[in-house]
Amino acid sequence: MREPAGEHRHRRHAVAVLSAHAVATQVITFVLRPTMAYRAIELGVPAAWLGLLGASFAIAPLLLALPAGHIADRYGERRVAVAGALLLTASSAAFLTLGHTVPGLVAAGILLGTGHLGCVIAQQALVANTTRRGGHDTAFGRYTFAASLGQAAGPVLIAVFGGEQAIPDTGRIFLWSCGLSAVLVALSAALARSPRPEAGEREAGGDVRSLLRRPGLTHALVTSCVVLAAVDITLVYLPALGTEHGLSAGTIGLLLTVRGLASMVSRFFLGRLSRALGRRRLLVGSTVGAAVAMLATPLPMPLWLLAPVLAVLGFGLGVGQPLTMSWLAESAPPGLRGRAMSLRLVGNRTGQLLLPGASGLVAAGAGAGGVLLLTALGLGWAGLAARRLPVDP
């Protein structure tokens, strides 16, 4: 049965606003995070301290993700999104006014991580709560496609303000980010409302512990965590591998672009792929395929062969995040979906903090190739473990 034309237009408008919100959130974040590192370099901060500055972004999600998910479930996603956008605006202002000191950079980084958390939790809970059952794969595929677009567009602004300089004009970037954050506040206020569950439904849904007892949920969280860590490790260690193999920075940049575009393609067509292959089969196949491609990446090969290998890697890594979001959205009852998404975010941030650090220890002895090999084995294990996920949550 086709939905009425007015309802269809309203749904399309809501999706457009949410997509714009996702793009803007990631643009701001992926502009400010590297610019924070550039400002630290300007201040003469030792390289060893840059990791501490980067960790300031991840601290807030570990501590505040579950409370943020609870607030989204209880009071609505729009309020959490507005709060997140205001915190991103405060972060931009803090970078602009306090970013001339290391404590100021750390404080602004914490505000950035907290604001990003609020926006992302609100976005994911909104997708989960406003999508009809059976449509989550397509909805989360399009949502993560929009987020990927923002992540790709963010660094472009750095290039615009950097020109041929080694360090871009950080002050102008911080100023522009204030304006972008104000736009994000307006978009947050325009987000659609999801239907609120009654108090009885919330109580019947249970709590986080009841979520963790659901069949297959742990495997979904582990798969999401390993896939996201693999993306981060690829971004860090592919340039190092290129240096070992004598590839230019431009070539590595092109290869990373190929990987990113392949991820966006897999997300855009996720709904069709899931219907054709089945969600569990697609998740297992894409994760194992990414593992095989990562295993092959360190091997000596011509560039014309390495590019399609990285395309396979990017395609496989692009599937894992939206599919696990979709599975969690359909597994969690109404009134608990915000917390389900926040639980996933806690696992992801934990993996982002621990796995790259462990990879650094491996790199000290085995080089970038050893790190990619170890990560590939972890991906393969996570893909095989995903076979235990129920076909229909």
Side-chain angles (χ1 to χ4, degrees):
M1 183 179 178
R2 296 185 61 181
E3 61 183 349
E7 184 178 340
H8 179 68
R9 284 194 299 271
H10 175 75
R11 183 181 295 275
R12 289 187 63 180
H13 177 263
V15 170
V17 173
L18 176 61
S19 298
H21 194 275
V23 170
T25 300
Q26 299 301 334
V27 166
I28 294 166
T29 303
F30 276 71
V31 163
L32 288 179
R33 289 189 71 186
T35 305
M36 175 172 64
Y38 279 123
R39 173 58 66 88
I41 293 170
E42 284 182 317
L43 297 176
V45 173
W49 284 38
L50 293 179
L52 176 63
L53 289 175
S56 67
F57 175 82
I59 289 172
L62 284 176
L63 300 177
L64 300 176
L66 290 176
H70 178 75
I71 293 171
D73 286 332
R74 189 168 186 85
Y75 299 107
E77 302 88 357
R78 185 190 292 177
R79 293 183 182 181
V80 176
V82 170
L86 290 173
L87 285 168
L88 284 179
T89 305
S91 171
S92 300
F95 277 121
L96 186 63
T97 58
L98 305 176
H100 57 281
T101 66
V102 173
L105 287 178
V106 172
I110 293 173
L111 285 172
L112 176 62
T114 308
H116 179 264
L117 166 72
C119 290
V120 168
I121 288 291
Q123 291 161 8
Q124 294 179 8
L126 191 60
V127 174
N129 285 319
T130 57
T131 303
R132 294 171 180 172
R133 190 173 183 86
H136 282 98
D137 292 346
T138 298
F140 276 109
R142 299 294 171 87
Y143 162 69
T144 51
F145 174 86
S148 297
L149 189 61
Q151 292 169 9
V156 172
L157 291 181
I158 296 177
V160 169
F161 290 112
E164 300 298 321
Q165 305 173 64
I167 297 179
D169 187 340
T170 53
R172 287 182 66 194
I173 295 176
F174 291 149
L175 182 61
W176 273 85
S177 67
C178 290
L180 289 173
S181 299
V183 172
L184 184 64
V185 173
L187 286 170
S188 300
L191 287 172
R193 293 178 182 270
S194 68
R196 296 288 90 208
E198 300 295 332
E201 286 183 292
R202 285 200 300 266
E203 293 169 4
D207 55 13
V208 172
R209 285 174 294 181
S210 68
L211 269 178
L212 288 171
R213 289 194 293 267
R214 289 180 175 266
L217 186 132
T218 302
H219 297 298
L221 293 177
V222 168
T223 301
S224 177
C225 169
V226 173
V227 168
L228 187 61
V231 173
D232 284 358
I233 287 169
T234 303
L235 292 175
V236 172
Y237 285 99
L238 192 61
L241 182 71
T243 301
E244 293 176 6
H245 288 185
L247 297 176
S248 68
T251 299
I252 293 299
L254 177 62
L255 292 173
L256 286 172
T257 300
V258 168
R259 186 208 62 79
L261 289 174
S263 291
M264 293 174 71
V265 169
S266 68
R267 289 172 171 180
F268 189 81
F269 294 104
L270 186 68
R272 297 180 187 179
L273 290 170
S274 179
R275 287 190 294 272
L277 301 175
R279 181 183 296 163
R280 185 173 62 185
R281 187 179 300 169
L282 176 60
L283 181 59
V284 172
S286 62
T287 308
V288 172
V292 172
M294 187 170 281
L295 274 175
T297 298
L299 300 177
M301 67 181 78
L303 186 60
W304 62 264
L305 184 57
L306 183 57
V309 167
L310 284 170
V312 172
L313 175 63
F315 192 94
L317 292 178
V319 167
Q321 295 300 307
L323 266 191
T324 51
M325 288 182 198
S326 176
W327 192 90
L328 285 171
E330 294 190 359
S331 177
L336 208 58
R337 288 174 180 148
R339 274 163 282 186
M341 295 301 153
S342 64
L343 190 62
R344 175 187 161 277
L345 189 60
V346 169
N348 285 354
R349 288 292 183 266
T350 301
Q352 284 180 300
L353 285 175
L354 297 181
L355 294 181
S359 298
L361 296 176
V362 174
V371 173
L372 294 175
L373 172 63
L374 185 65
T375 307
L377 294 176
L379 269 177
W381 171 80
L384 294 176
R387 292 182 301 173
R388 300 180 185 178
L389 285 172
V391 176
D392 187 13

